[in-house]
């Protein structure tokens, strides 16, 4: 194949300018490259090559060709060989598709890429490769394996033995190598220069530092030439054994010792309970074996005799530690001592770990069940107390209202629109249901029976002349929320009613002058203003652990957001909380801040709803959560499943179907499944025999722990635990 040099055709009128530019470029390149470093822009290109000039680089040459990579690689190799470059393979790099070449003291690496979206095209890159340790290549040598950094050379010379001996005597001296003698080897006290080789010859050389060849300082090398039956000669050049390190240092990989120095070291996946390491050590086998004798003894590991030798092994021995059993194999390849180290965790250790995890999981589920029972009991007591505070007294309608339905005299935060109405009241569900039956029946509305008619919740359906009204009355803390919708609530030319909240609570209607400052409620475990209209505090802890691992305060304060924010910044600072700038959001109607409290991370969220400022303050205690064994894995969320019912529940989430046995997570049967999930929003489906299927979503954030507890009637209670 013909070669073309880098260049381009130019019109005659531009010839002078082009020559000037080429001369300047040539001068610049010459200043950047020395005799041991090739200028890649001077190398030949394949016919039809198109140079990539988008990113000029004096130390790299790139071009494209209209052929597939396999064809391009073979053509480049043939072209460079014709240009005097000798190809070789680096030790342990036999499968690399890139090419390596040597020409005198210069080295070259050539890499190939497939054209973007064009498998019929190739990209070629020339990169200079410094030859740090040069030795002569016999002309026409085959099977060349060479490492330019040590050096190492293995090949078959086509010449006869005597001619090859004469070649190396001449060429080694020509590039500055000098034969070692007993007089010049005094700095190597262990040097044995009298060693002979059957059917061949062995010679040792050194390379003095800083001679006229500007060679890099080298360790002595050993040249071994042996006759072959086919008339050719085997060539082997490597660092002399007496110049190799004997006291190897230690590096850890996967908890196992590996010797330094090494050319490469790595492992392959063999499961979490097994480690397989491969190391190419730059040392003699005796030094590597001594290294492992020393390391095993230092770690208290036991050598348990020889293991069966595999193909190519020189040494194979068994060893064990308190937790693992293993095999060490040593073999020679090129000038490396290859280390193959396998360690397997003992079955007894795996069983002990599994039991410890099971015991911890069981204890956690027992604690979680007790906590859930405690939370449910406390919630029932709280709801009962709140219900007792609601009034059963008969209600009268407000006068002069502009709402589609009458509202009772104690209605608060009334909102209405096209086909809907909502308000809160301090009266009981029973009193409000009686109020609407008494108000709507005289107006011709007929009530449809409903199965939902409980002290804390009622659903009422009314119809008249083709129109309908649906009402839901639900106790929510110390108030009852009433929401209604339907065609019977649409009023012609009616405007949404304004809130019945007293004008004194509206900042725009307040008298001139500064508002009263917010004061902290001394009875609250977390700061909250005395002026709150509602508040609730939730804590998460397990029996036997007094410190809660999560506390959350929800409140509503009839004050401006800015005033509430100022209150919390002041009160939290008094408690030693430090505000963090990461992720802070502060707008006119929304605030989100992160804090570092003495117990752990905390967040404060403020918002506006129904003319008041909503407060959500959360504090976490990582130490308590870790002690309770509910801390999620880093970057993950933890989901715990329980079933308080008497039938098996089947939960499907994140393409996983989990059967939760009856009573699982409860006091009688503490076993319950746990899942580790990436953060995200998940849809889950629950099926219990004899109960309608339930679908819902749960959003899990990294670092959160949630429990999903199936109730006796098939309902699901999500509970954030951390």
């Amino acid at each position: 194949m013909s070669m073309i040099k880098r260049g381009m055709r130019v019109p005659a009128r531009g010839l002078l300018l082009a020559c000037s530019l080429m001369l300047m470029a040539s001068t610049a390149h010459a200043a950047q490259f020395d005799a041991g470093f090739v200028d890649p822009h001077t190398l030949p290109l394949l016919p039809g090559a198109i140079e990539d000039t988008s990113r000029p680089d004096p130390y790299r040459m790139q071009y494209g060709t209209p052929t597939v990579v396999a064809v391009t690689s073979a053509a480049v190799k043939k072209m460079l060989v014709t240009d005097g470059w000798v190809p070789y393979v680096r030790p342990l790099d036999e499968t690399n598709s890139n090419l390596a070449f040597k020409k005198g003291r210069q080295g070259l690496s050539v890499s190939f890429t497939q054209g973007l979206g064009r498998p019929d095209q190739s990209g070629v890159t020339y990169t200079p490769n410094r030859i740090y340790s040069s030795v002569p290549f016999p002309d026409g040598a085959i099977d060349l394996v060479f490492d330019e950094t040590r050096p190492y050379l293995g090949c078959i010379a086509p010449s006869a033995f005597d001619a090859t001996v004469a070649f190396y005597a001449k060429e080694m001296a020509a590039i500055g190598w000098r034969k070692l003698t007993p007089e010049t080897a005094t700095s190597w006290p262990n040097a044995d220069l009298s060693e002979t080789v059957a059917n061949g010859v062995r010679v040792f050389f050194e390379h003095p530092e800083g001679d006229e060849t500007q060679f890099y300082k080298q360790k002595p090398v050993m040249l071994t030439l042996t006759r072959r039956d086919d008339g050719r000669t085997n060539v082997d050049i490597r660092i002399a054994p007496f110049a190799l390190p004997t006291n190897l240092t230690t590096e850890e990989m996967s908890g196992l010792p590996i010797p330094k120095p090494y050319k490469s070291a790595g492992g392959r996946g063999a499961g979490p309970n097994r480690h397989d390491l491969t190391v190419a050590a730059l040392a003699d086998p005796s030094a590597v074996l001594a290294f492992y004798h020393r390391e095993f003894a230092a770690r208290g590991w036991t050598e348990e005799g020889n293991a069966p030798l595999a193909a190519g092994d020189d040494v194979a021995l068994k060893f064990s530690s308190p937790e693992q059993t293993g095999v060490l194999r040593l073999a020679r390849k090129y000038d490396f001592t290859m280390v193959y180290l396998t360690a397997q965790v003992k079955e007894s250790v795996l069983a002990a770990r599994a039991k410890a995890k099971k015991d911890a999981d069981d204890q956690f589920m027992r604690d979680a069940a007790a906590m859930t029972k405690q939370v449910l009991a406390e919630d029932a007591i709280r709801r009962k107390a709140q219900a007792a505070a609601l009034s059963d007294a008969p209600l009268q309608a407000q006068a002069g209202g502009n709402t589609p339905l009458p509202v009772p005299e104690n209605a608060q935060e009334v909102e209405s629109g096209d086909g809907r109405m909502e308000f809160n009241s301090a009266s009981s569900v029973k009193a409000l249901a009686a109020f609407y039956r008494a108000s709507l029946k005289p107006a011709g509305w007929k009530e449809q029976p409903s199965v939902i008619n409980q002290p804390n919740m009622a659903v009422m359906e009314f119809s008249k002349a083709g129109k309908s009204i649906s009402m839901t009355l639900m106790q929510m803390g110390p108030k009852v929320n009433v929401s209604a919708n339907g065609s019977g609530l649409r009023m012609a030319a009616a405007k949404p009613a304004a809130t019945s909240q007293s004008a004194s609570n509206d900042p725009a209607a307040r008298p001139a002058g500064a508002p009263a400052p917010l004061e902290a409620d001394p009875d609250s475990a977390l700061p909250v203003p005395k002026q709150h209209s509602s508040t609730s505090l939730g804590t998460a802890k397990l029996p036997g652990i007094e410190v809660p691992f999560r506390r959350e305060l929800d409140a509503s304060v009839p004050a401006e957001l800015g005033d509430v924010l100022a209150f919390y910044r002041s009160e939290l600072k008094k408690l030693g909380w430090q505000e963090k700038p990461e992720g802070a959001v502060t707008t006119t109607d929304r605030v989100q801040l992160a804090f570092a409290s003495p117990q752990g991370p905390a967040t404060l969220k403020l918002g506006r709803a129904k003319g008041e400022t909503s407060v959500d303050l959360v504090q976490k205690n990582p130490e308590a959560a870790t002690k309770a064994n509910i801390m999620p894995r880093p970057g993950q969320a933890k989901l715990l499943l329980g079933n308080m019912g008497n039938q098996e529940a089947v939960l499907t989430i994140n393409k996983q179907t989990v059967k939760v046995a009856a009573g699982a997570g409860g006091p009688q049967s503490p076993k319950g499944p746990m899942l580790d999930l990436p953060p995200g929003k998940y849809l889950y489906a629950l099926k219990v025999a004899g109960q309608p299927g339930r679908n819902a979503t749960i959003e899990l954030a990294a670092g959160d722990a949630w429990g999903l507890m199936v109730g006796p009637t098939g309902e699901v209670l999500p509970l954030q635990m951390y």
Side-chain angles (χ1 to χ4, degrees), residues 249-471:
T249 58
T250 307
E251 184 173 304
E252 291 280 335
M253 183 175 290
S254 300
L256 298 171
I258 62 174
K260 291 177 62 178
Y262 56 79
K263 181 68 173 182
S264 63
R268 61 178 182 271
N273 302 316
R274 173 173 167 163
H275 298 292
D276 291 336
L277 301 183
T278 301
V279 184
L282 291 165
D284 218 43
S286 59
V288 176
L289 185 59
F291 165 85
Y292 277 104
H293 286 322
R294 182 191 77 201
E295 286 299 316
F296 289 166
R299 296 162 188 259
W301 296 3
T302 304
E303 295 184 26
E304 299 182 340
N306 295 329
L309 292 173
D313 284 354
D314 294 327
V315 173
L317 59 87
K318 296 181 288 186
F319 67 91
S320 66
S321 71
E323 293 194 345
Q324 302 176 107
T325 59
V327 175
L328 169 69
R329 301 180 185 276
L330 303 181
R332 292 292 281 174
K333 189 170 184 180
Y334 304 120
D335 59 339
F336 300 123
T337 297
M338 301 301 299
V339 179
Y340 305 101
L341 191 59
T342 298
Q344 174 74 49
V345 179
K346 294 178 180 177
E347 292 296 330
S348 58
V349 174
L350 293 176
R353 290 178 183 176
K355 183 178 184 304
K357 183 178 184 304
K358 178 180 177 299
D359 292 345
D361 291 345
D362 290 348
Q363 183 61 47
F364 171 73
M365 293 309 299
R366 285 193 293 269
D367 294 341
M371 183 192 71
T372 302
K373 185 176 180 180
Q374 177 185 347
V375 170
L376 292 175
E378 292 175 353
D379 185 66
I381 295 172
R382 179 177 59 82
R383 288 179 179 274
K384 186 175 180 180
Q386 291 172 339
L390 297 172
S391 173
D392 286 334
L395 295 166
Q396 300 295 322
Q398 286 184 2
N402 186 26
T403 55
L405 283 179
V407 295
E409 55 195 348
N410 63 354
Q412 301 174 358
E413 304 162 330
V414 180
E415 294 182 355
S416 63
D418 187 24
R420 65 177 186 84
M421 186 181 75
E422 184 176 359
F423 65 88
N424 292 325
S425 171
S427 292
S428 65
V429 170
K430 177 181 177 182
L432 289 164
F435 169 79
Y436 277 105
R437 289 189 178 104
S439 300
L440 296 178
K441 187 175 181 180
W445 291 92
K446 182 179 179 181
E447 183 179 2
Q448 306 297 322
S450 171
V451 296
I452 303 177
N453 188 17
Q454 303 296 327
N456 62 345
M457 181 179 178
V459 174
M460 307 175 70
E461 303 284 347
F462 296 93
S463 62
K464 181 177 93 170
K467 295 185 177 182
S468 64
I469 299 174
S470 177
M471 304 185 70

Side-chain angles (χ1 to χ4, degrees), residues 9-72:
R9 296 180 180 178
V10 295
R13 61 180 180 273
L15 184 59
L16 180 59
L17 175 60
C19 290
S20 300
L21 293 175
M22 291 176 66
L23 179 61
M24 293 170 61
S26 175
T27 303
H29 285 308
Q32 295 170 346
F33 298 92
D34 56 45
F37 205 62
V38 66
D39 181 351
H41 296 271
T42 64
L43 298 174
L45 312 182
L46 291 175
I50 301 175
E51 183 179 351
D52 180 2
T53 58
S54 60
R55 290 174 294 178
D57 186 344
Y59 297 100
R60 185 172 61 176
M61 171 65 178
Q62 294 179 296
Y63 64 91
T65 64
T67 53
V68 298
V69 169
V71 173
T72 303

Side-chain angles (χ1 to χ4, degrees), residues 585-643:
V585 176
T586 305
T587 65
T588 56
D589 59 356
R590 177 172 172 256
V591 168
Q592 180 170 325
L593 299 175
F595 291 84
S597 77
Q599 288 74 36
T603 57
L604 171 68
K605 296 180 182 179
L606 304 179
R608 294 292 293 173
K610 300 179 182 179
E612 296 190 350
T613 297
S614 61
V615 179
D616 180 33
L617 182 62
V618 176
Q619 182 188 36
K620 293 183 176 182
N621 190 325
E623 182 179 352
T626 301
K627 184 177 180 181
N629 197 28
I630 70 161
M631 179 65 74
R633 295 177 180 175
Q636 297 278 302
K638 188 177 287 292
L639 189 64
L640 303 102
L641 307 177
N643 183 3

